[in-house]
Amino acid sequence: MDAVQERLTEFSQEAHELYLNTSVPYLDGPPEPLDFYRDWIGPNKPCIIRNAFSHWPALARWTPDYLREKIGSKVVSVAVTPNGYADAVAGNYFVMPEERKMSFSSVLDIIEGKVQRNGVFYVQKQCSNLLQELPELIDDLEPHVAWMSAALGKMPDAVNFWLGEEKAITSMHKDPYENLYCVISGEKHFILLPPTDRPFIPYGVYRPAVYLEQDSGEFKVVGTEDSQKVPWIPLDPLEPDLEQYPQYRWAQPLRCSVKAGEMLYLPSLWFHHVQQSHGCTAVNFWYDMEYDIKYNYFQLLESLLLQSDLNAF
């Protein structure tokens, strides 16, 4: 296994030298499907696309007043945490947020500071919540990105809506989806690492738990019974502990900010950590590529390294 680890480390360094960019490039408009597949999807490289959805009415319409009038009474799923970290390692636990059902107006009241509540609130339910919970907003955008659907030969598997406070943070993880992330208002700040940097990214296994707010206003971590442990990344790329995780010093993260009207193409299996400006709204499209050759190749790399990590853990 040491020989495999060493070779994969060399492979990561070669990938950076041969084809990975040192920053996230920009495209000035929506690409042709074949060109995008050849230049970005196939090589598995991220980019930011400007003017890709400038025709969406959402860019002008989605003010708090408009959203309150359009969907204020709708009940949505909201993730609530004491510190903004949902789905993240805390001590010996992998802690998920407390899920609450709230009217959209109630969420806006908290984000606009009209109402004070304990915790950090984030509309982030990732089960195509825009289509399932907020279909009234579909006319303000499109249900898919035509050139991406043509490039992949399929429609998106999920369309998600995001709205949250500045303190809401997405811990480092990866997804098995080709991801188009469209910022409608505000900014999203990403730290990205390619799948080939996996030898430098630590994993552990943690008992799953959820946050629950108590009558006192404090949040308690409650472990879930009879659940399998969850493999997750304990490292915080904002303040990496290089004494505990010395291998991370060899990682080469990319940092980028995606502004209103811009779209990030985040390839499948890229590690990402996300922050945002206060009240940022966004929509993303997930295209599941589980049976893609690229996906299976990187999953093989992942299985080799995960076994090595868990043995060490």
Side-chain angles (χ1 to χ4, degrees), residues 257-279:
S257 292
V258 185
K259 300 177 175 60
E262 296 179 341
M263 171 191 291
L264 172 67
Y265 165 57
L266 179 59
S268 60
L269 301 179
W270 271 65
F271 297 92
H272 51 288
H273 173 280
V274 192
Q275 297 173 281
Q276 63 189 346
S277 61
H278 192 74

Side-chain angles (χ1 to χ4, degrees), residues 20-36:
L20 289 173
N21 298 305
T22 56
S23 62
V24 180
Y26 285 85
L27 305 183
D28 287 328
E32 292 297 321
L34 182 59
D35 293 340
F36 193 74

